[in-house]
Amino acid sequence: MTDTASNTLALPIRPFLRPLLQRLAPFVGTPLNVALSLLLLWLILRVGWLLLDWAVVNAALLPAKPETCAATTGACWSFVIAKSGQILFGIYPPAERWRAGLVCVLILTTLVASARPSSWRPWLGFAWVAMMALVLWLMGGGFGLSRVPTSSWGGLPVTLILTVFAIGLGFPMAILLALGRRSGLPVVRTLSVLVIETIRGLPLLSLLFVASILLPLLLPEALLPDKFVRALLALTIFAAAYLAEVIRGGLQAIPSGQSEAAKALGLGYWNTQRLIILPQAIRIVIPALTNTIIVMIKNTSLVLVVGLFDLISSGKAALSDPDWPAPSTETFLFIGLIYFALAFSFARFADFLERSGMEKRG
Amino acid sequence: MTETITSSAPVAAIRIENLGKSYGDFEALKNVNLIVAEGERIVICGPSGSGKSTLIRSINRLEEHQIGRILVDGTELTNDLKGIEKIRSEVGMVFQHFNLFPHLTILENCTLAPIWVRKLPRAEAEEIAMRFLHKVRIPEQANKYPGQLSGGQQQRVAIARALCMKPRIMLFDEPTSALDPEMIKEVLDTMIELADEGMTMLCVTHEMGFAQAVADRVVFMDRGQIVEQNEPMAFFSSPQNERTKLFLSQILGH
């Protein structure tokens, strides 16, 4: 202690420099390290400058005419700005875009409002059902709003609706499948295994094709659900099969003493699962669940092969405007940013959930 | 013991008749007969693998028996689910490894079953829980999680959790076997207190001091059968069966 104190008196600047030098030490310790550090620094600056040059310095940053873009050597953000409505909402009737925008706001707000464990009360379930009904009304129309068929839906709302509905409906299904696979009743167990293994064994693309092409051949028209609903069903059941196996992994990890103690207290099967087993099992598998859910967010983009217009398809459609040069890099960067924001915020949320669980164990 | 139970005769708390259970070729229980009167305290001992845990776990049907009958408070244990949940709520059980619910606080551990099985309002369940946490002398831990408590404290919570259901019978399955030596006493003291209040208790344990202090009867099991039973003084001073003698010499000799 006295040592540090005397140093501080002698050289007041040192306390600031010391940590900095300590951090730099690994980079400049030996001549080789110095050389490597300099090389990498040069590379970072060079690439960084190229990017900056393209994205900002030489770019068309402000709303502008197509000609401005043609004249620049850098990025054409003007295009993304001019076409943002079309990229975000696809072929949704431009006059009604406010409805599609409201749907996005509604879904994202509900997601954020559900994030805190303290708000996990029965009313939240009702809020979700209400939100889903409201979303369908706003998007599809009826009851005073002009009708917009699902074939005209597009862009971000489609991506959000597919993700939220597929996971929101797939998760409870997954829990039932996971419990079913461990059930003592042979019929229930066999059925669960059959569903899970069949769905997991098929590529999502083939499931989407079955839903959009094969199903219309098999079912009479009157019974056939809308194409959007069929794709959503395919995504839901696909998500359910994968989530079921993740959840089953968590169920396996709970010692049998837990269900024995619950039984001994007189709790029935469903109360035991709901109050004792699942809360522990799901907390264990949060990292794996996060993984599956993020994959599902991105999987929704596959619906473009069956003719639905999600974010990526609407981006592509916007690029086909002959009046503009087609700045696909900028457009896909913009779309990529939206996907990243969705996936990354979910990953952070999962991380927060895991931590809030850790504190409790002490 | 062939007379039928009539409503006028006092119903035994537990009546086990000719009980049998096997796993494949291995006979875990063989022709076990045991009648426990209301308020009686019974200690079951025996070498490991002798079937004592299987027997006690059969009483609330954590194990299903194959032969014979078990009647708890006059109700026979069958596959009827509603009936078994009713009986389980009347029979408290304490496990070797505590089996507290780690994701719930101590208080929540104690109020869960009263709220969901007994349908008590939360406030009332919490009041009862605090009363029993006082009784096992850890009310100050009510808002902690099981992982923050010592083994002895966890086992006392497990006892409180069972008591919150106001059971008529308590089953203890080696409640002190997983504890560090210095924590055994605090758990045994709680159990002795419970015995002094007249609770009907069945306890699988190797704590012979406890058996001598509180048991009305000591039951010795070996190879799935009840070999010998007697009141504690006679059981320890003059065991009749050779296997009992061997077991006692091993357990008391160390």
Side-chain angles (χ1 to χ4, degrees):
Chain A
M1 280 308 268
T2 51
D3 208 34
T4 330
S6 59
N7 276 350
T8 315
L9 283 176
L11 275 172
I13 206 159
R14 236 177 151 175
F16 297 101
L17 272 181
R18 187 177 289 158
L20 187 69
L21 285 175
Q22 273 171 354
R23 288 216 180 154
L24 277 178
F27 301 100
V28 294
T30 67
L32 181 67
N33 279 4
V34 172
L36 281 176
S37 297
L38 286 176
L39 183 71
L40 281 173
L41 197 64
W42 177 78
L43 262 176
I44 290 167
L45 289 176
R46 182 93 191 95
V47 172
W49 169 248
L50 278 176
L51 270 178
L52 199 70
D53 193 43
W54 174 78
V56 183
V57 179
N58 279 323
L61 284 168
L62 303 168
K65 293 252 176 306
E67 295 77 46
T68 326
C69 256
T72 61
T73 54
C76 174
W77 300 117
S78 311
F79 173 81
V80 176
I81 296 166
K83 293 284 182 183
S84 59
Q86 198 189 340
I87 297 173
L88 284 175
F89 304 120
I91 52 174
Y92 204 78
E96 307 288 334
R97 271 181 192 160
W98 62 272
R99 281 158 58 181
L102 202 56
V103 162
C104 296
V105 172
L106 203 61
I107 292 179
L108 293 172
T109 315
T110 316
L111 283 173
V112 171
S114 323
R116 284 189 24 246
S118 59
S119 59
W120 297 350
R121 296 269 176 272
W123 61 261
L124 194 65
F126 295 114
W128 269 81
V129 172
M131 183 273 282
M132 285 176 165
L134 207 56
V135 159
L136 292 181
W137 173 58
L138 277 171
M139 270 315 264
F143 302 105
L145 291 176
S146 64
R147 286 210 171 272
V148 180
T150 55
S151 54
S152 304
W153 294 12
L156 183 61
V158 166
T159 297
L160 287 178
I161 290 174
L162 287 176
T163 305
V164 165
F165 278 59
I167 292 168
L169 300 172
F171 201 80
M173 241 169 102
I175 289 177
L176 292 180
L177 282 172
L179 291 176
R181 195 163 183 169
R182 287 163 51 88
S183 162
L185 307 169
V187 180
V188 175
R189 191 172 55 238
T190 315
L191 229 74
S192 306
V193 172
L194 215 67
V195 170
I196 292 172
E197 295 304 343
T198 310
I199 302 298
R200 275 205 308 175
L202 294 171
L204 178 54
L205 271 184
S206 68
L207 269 180
L208 284 169
F209 277 124
V210 167
S212 69
I213 297 167
L214 215 54
L215 223 52
L217 299 177
L218 298 175
L219 283 177
E221 190 136 354
L223 288 177
L224 196 66
D226 182 276
K227 184 160 83 174
F228 187 87
V229 176
R230 298 202 304 267
L232 178 59
L233 281 179
L235 283 170
T236 304
I237 196 164
F238 188 77
Y242 275 85
L243 292 171
E245 284 300 281
V246 172
I247 293 170
R248 190 168 68 95
L251 294 175
Q252 311 278 57
I254 307 300
S256 62
Q258 290 291 305
S259 58
E260 281 181 3
K263 270 189 201 172
L265 286 166
L267 287 166
Y269 175 81
W270 290 107
N271 271 339
T272 302
Q273 301 304 322
R274 188 172 65 85
L275 300 166
I276 306 300
I277 309 298
L278 283 168
Q280 297 184 60
I282 289 176
R283 184 163 290 151
I284 295 175
V285 295
I286 284 177
L289 281 177
T290 312
N291 218 13
T292 309
I293 289 174
I294 287 178
V295 168
M296 281 311 293
I297 294 176
K298 293 179 292 184
N299 270 349
T300 56
S301 63
L302 288 175
V303 297
L304 76 93
V305 301
V306 295
L308 293 178
F309 293 91
D310 77 316
L311 203 47
I312 290 181
S313 345
S314 62
K316 275 183 159 171
L319 283 169
S320 63
D321 184 343
D323 290 345
W324 286 82
S328 49
T329 311
E330 293 85 329
T331 308
F332 285 122
L333 267 177
F334 175 62
I335 293 169
L337 203 67
I338 296 176
Y339 273 106
F340 181 78
L342 289 177
F344 186 69
S345 25
F346 185 76
R348 297 311 302 164
F349 167 60
D351 193 57
F352 154 76
L353 272 191
E354 234 178 301
R355 276 168 209 281
S356 69
M358 293 290 179
E359 285 162 19
K360 285 184 172 183
R361 306 299 172 99
Chain B
M1 285 295 167
T2 50
E3 89 275 26
T4 50
I5 301 154
T6 60
S7 55
S8 60
V11 176
I14 301 167
R15 175 183 290 263
I16 295 169
E17 293 171 4
N18 191 29
L19 196 69
K21 180 184 175 70
S22 44
Y23 303 98
D25 285 342
F26 176 71
E27 279 190 287
L29 292 175
K30 207 163 19 177
N31 193 26
V32 173
N33 290 284
L34 186 68
I35 294 174
V36 182
E38 181 105 42
E40 204 176 2
R41 277 105 42 172
I42 291 187
V43 162
I44 303 170
C45 59
S48 74
S50 59
K52 48 198 195 307
S53 274
T54 310
L55 174 62
I56 203 170
R57 287 159 58 88
S58 298
I59 294 170
N60 62 357
R61 211 169 173 76
L62 290 182
E63 304 279 352
E64 286 179 26
H65 57 276
Q66 291 146 342
I67 306 168
R69 306 205 306 158
I70 302 177
L71 289 91
V72 176
D73 267 333
T75 313
E76 179 164 3
L77 301 191
T78 59
N79 274 324
D80 163 36
L81 269 176
K82 277 279 158 278
I84 194 64
E85 278 159 24
K86 176 89 181 64
I87 287 175
R88 280 174 179 158
S89 66
E90 306 286 333
V91 179
M93 184 156 203
V94 175
F95 299 86
Q96 181 178 1
H97 295 289
F98 332 134
N99 297 357
L100 294 178
F101 307 129
H103 61 302
L104 301 177
T105 64
I106 299 308
L107 187 64
E108 287 165 341
N109 263 277
C110 294
T111 56
L112 186 93
I115 289 173
W116 292 100
V117 180
R118 291 257 189 267
K119 315 279 182 209
L120 291 187
R122 178 171 299 274
E124 193 182 336
E126 284 181 355
E127 194 194 315
I128 294 169
M130 284 316 292
R131 189 162 1 119
F132 284 111
L133 286 174
H134 266 287
K135 191 178 160 70
V136 300
R137 289 182 290 275
I138 32 177
E140 72 282 0
Q141 313 283 5
N143 292 313
K144 289 195 180 165
Y145 286 87
Q148 296 167 304
L149 269 56
S150 74
Q153 289 174 320
Q154 289 193 49
Q155 193 61 298
R156 284 185 283 149
V157 172
I159 294 173
R161 176 176 73 177
L163 290 176
C164 284
M165 289 295 283
K166 308 269 179 71
R168 301 162 57 91
I169 300 166
M170 284 286 285
L171 308 175
F172 293 85
D173 189 1
E174 304 208 31
T176 55
S177 306
L179 293 176
D180 290 334
E182 74 270 23
M183 291 170 184
I184 290 177
K185 187 173 178 299
E186 64 187 62
V187 171
L188 288 181
D189 285 348
T190 309
M191 290 167 63
I192 290 169
E193 213 170 294
L194 202 58
D196 289 343
E197 288 166 15
M199 175 68 79
T200 310
M201 288 167 68
L202 258 85
C203 187
V204 172
T205 184
H206 290 159
E207 294 297 328
M208 291 302 132
F210 172 78
Q212 271 169 323
V214 304
D216 296 312
R217 198 159 23 128
V218 181
V219 172
F220 173 70
M221 287 186 74
D222 192 20
R223 292 174 220 163
Q225 287 179 303
I226 293 180
V227 174
E228 184 169 350
Q229 49 180 310
N230 213 333
E231 52 96 17
M233 281 296 276
F235 180 84
F236 290 111
S237 58
S238 53
Q240 304 299 307
N241 191 290
E242 283 310 312
R243 283 187 271 171
T244 318
K245 285 178 192 164
L246 179 67
F247 174 76
L248 284 177
S249 72
Q250 283 166 341
I251 202 162
L252 298 175
H254 75 98

